[in-house]
Every structure is written in C-alpha cells, then in structure tokens.
Amino acid sequence: MNKIIKIIPKSVVSKVSRQILKTKKNSPHIFFAAGVAGTVVSTVLACRATLRLSETLDEIKRDVDSLEPIPQMNLDIEPAREQHIDRIHVYGKASFKIVRLYAPAAIVGVASIGALTGSHIQLVRRNTALMAAYAAVQKAYDDYRERVREQLGEDAELELYHASTKQVKVVDGKAIEANVADPNKYSPYAKFFDEYSKHWEKDPELNRIYVQCQQNYLNHRLNAYGHVFLNEAYDALGLERTKAGAVVGWLKNGEGDGYIDFGIFEAFNSRFVNGLERSILLDFNVDGVIYDKI
C-alpha cells in the first residue's frame, strides 16, 4: 500500500486532499440538496406504488377467495390445521407484496430524512463553534479596552477608540481647542444614516428627531423585552441588516452599559446635531454577542 502511495504524484494527492476538504466544507449543502431531491423522488415512488396498489389488492383478493372456508364444527383437527397454515401463508404473502410495493419509497424517504437531519446537525455544530469563537474574541476585545481605561482613563480610551485628534477651531474670533474624531475609524457595527435609508429626509431637523425617537423606542423595547439585537436597530433606521447584527446587541442586565446609544452626540456628529448636516454616522454601543445569553 505504501509503495502505491509513493507512486502517486504529489500534485494528484494535493488535488484529492483539497477536493476532500471542499466536500467536507460544503457537506451541509450537499446533504440538504440530497435530502430535498430524495424527498421528491420518494413522493414520486409512493405515487407510482399507489397506482399499482389496486392491481396488487386484486391479486390478494383472488388468493384469499381461493382459500377453503374453515368449518365451524370439525372433529378432524389435521385438515383444519392445514387450512390455517394456508391462510397464514396467503396473508403473509399479501403483506410481503404490499411492503415490497412501497419499500423503495420508504427507503428513499428515510435516507432523505437522514440527509436533512445530518445537514441540520452539521450547521448547528458549526454555528455553535462560530458563536463560541465570536464570544471569545469579543470578550478579549472588551477586556483589552477595560485595561486601557484603567491605565489611561475613560476619556483617553474613548479618544483612542475614535482616533480623536486635537484641532484648533476659530469660533467668534476665539481659538478653541477641541477633540475631533476620525470618521474613517469606527467600530464594525457603525453605519451612516443617509439617503440610502428609506426614512431619511432632506430636512436635517426631521432626521435628528427621527434618529433620537428610534433610540428612545429601542431603549423602551430593551426594558420591556430584556434584549435587542443590532439588526432590530438597523430595521428601525431603514438600514441594511448584517450577519453580525443577528448575534450582537444589548441586554437589559448584561455586562454592557444597560442602555442603547447610537452615538448621536459624539464629537464627529456635532454638525448633524446642530442642524448643519442631513446625514449622521451612527456608532452603536452594543454589549457584544448576546445570542447565547438570552
């Protein structure tokens, strides 16, 4: 066997190994497709068997009618025993015919259910593993931010988080130093509320009121239900859902802030708050992964 393996070129072994890996990766989809196809085939086979059932039942009826009736009072035990054996044989043969008629449909149906079940089990296992990995990364990130807060202070940590820089602005003839955040460096959950949202208006004041109302509404929802997913916030704002939004969000009594904040009053949104811009960059203070904590 080892000699045969040595004869096979490494390129062939590499291609076969890669193909096996791709098959394992796509096995849930393969099992699901096979299960759906098998269900259709099983239904077709069952329908064909049903069409032939009447013919089989006629054969069974002829076999049953050919049996001699068993007398009610018969002193000769041996003939009566033979008649009982004949009846058992006929009924057994009839049962076998019906089972054989529907056996292909039943076998394919059971195999299809097994394939669908296997697909579901594999997806559940993979989702569980991804959730665990996601939660571990989120916890490590939160712990890191907490260590930075303890070392530098909360204000300094926020400045680093939002990549703030000190800039001097002239207001009414006076030079004022202010922290200005870099809008290109924000969390992966941040989104713009702009003309791509169906709730966005050309009036800056209406947009500000709407965003604040949605933030208040979601905070009431958090207090009422105990949890809110990030995708629910996206829905309320007319923004596109994300994969991360399906697992991260806020918990009422979680380890986060305990409330929902869109980051409306962050430094880089000052022009929006003051009615000078119609769009806003929203950076949500999610607690992290909550899917496995509800």
Side-chain angles (χ1 to χ4, degrees), residues 119-144:
S119 173
H120 173 71
I121 291 174
Q122 288 196 17
L123 287 175
V124 168
R125 288 176 178 174
R126 291 184 183 183
N127 287 336
T128 302
L130 287 173
M131 288 293 300
Y134 203 161
V137 171
Q138 183 68 41
K139 187 178 185 307
Y141 177 67
D142 292 339
D143 292 343
Y144 168 75

Side-chain angles (χ1 to χ4, degrees), residues 24-259:
K24 288 182 178 180
K25 177 184 176 182
N26 297 317
S27 57
H29 308 290
I30 295 172
F31 279 135
F32 181 78
V36 172
T39 302
V40 175
V41 172
S42 176
T43 303
V44 173
L45 292 175
C47 293
R48 291 181 60 184
T50 302
L51 293 175
R52 296 172 56 189
L53 180 62
S54 59
E55 181 181 347
T56 303
L57 292 176
D58 291 338
E59 293 178 2
I60 294 173
K61 186 175 183 302
R62 286 195 296 270
D63 293 339
V64 173
D65 292 340
S66 65
L67 294 172
E68 296 180 3
I70 300 176
Q72 295 296 327
M73 297 297 294
N74 191 347
L75 299 177
D76 192 355
I77 300 177
E78 190 64 28
R81 180 182 298 174
E82 292 179 357
Q83 290 175 353
H84 279 295
I85 292 174
D86 291 341
R87 287 182 178 274
I88 292 173
H89 175 71
V90 169
Y91 288 130
K93 184 179 179 181
S95 300
F96 176 74
K97 286 182 178 179
I98 294 177
V99 170
R100 184 178 63 180
L101 192 64
Y102 283 96
I107 292 172
V108 175
V110 171
S112 301
I113 293 173
L116 292 173
T117 304
S119 173
H120 173 71
I121 291 174
Q122 288 196 17
L123 287 175
V124 168
R125 288 176 178 174
R126 291 184 183 183
N127 287 336
T128 302
L130 287 173
M131 288 293 300
Y134 203 161
V137 171
Q138 183 68 41
K139 187 178 185 307
Y141 177 67
D142 292 339
D143 292 343
Y144 168 75
R145 290 193 63 186
E146 184 63 29
R147 290 194 299 270
V148 174
R149 290 192 193 99
E150 293 176 358
Q151 187 73 22
L152 302 178
E154 186 171 354
D155 292 339
E157 191 275 334
L158 283 175
E159 290 180 9
L160 291 173
Y161 179 68
H162 293 295
S164 300
T165 56
K166 293 186 179 296
Q167 295 183 7
V168 177
K169 292 185 177 182
V170 179
V171 180
D172 297 332
K174 296 181 179 180
I176 300 176
E177 187 179 58
N179 289 328
V180 179
D182 185 354
N184 296 316
K185 297 179 180 179
Y186 41 80
S187 76
Y189 312 118
K191 279 184 175 289
F192 280 98
F193 178 75
D194 52 20
E195 60 269 19
Y196 291 101
S197 169
K198 62 182 179 181
H199 302 300
W200 183 85
E201 299 290 343
K202 293 183 178 180
D203 189 336
E205 185 67 16
L206 290 179
N207 290 333
R208 184 183 62 80
I209 293 173
Y210 181 81
V211 173
Q212 285 186 275
C213 286
Q214 295 309 309
Q215 179 176 285
N216 295 336
Y217 159 73
L218 289 172
N219 274 293
H220 288 307
R221 185 178 179 86
L222 177 63
N223 292 326
Y225 294 98
H227 70 276
V228 173
F229 283 103
L230 180 59
N231 275 344
E232 295 180 83
Y234 289 158
D235 292 340
L237 296 167
L239 304 175
E240 186 177 355
R241 287 189 164 207
T242 64
K243 294 180 180 179
V247 295
V248 302
W250 298 267
L251 289 176
K252 182 179 179 181
N253 298 317
E255 299 177 355
D257 298 326
Y259 61 89

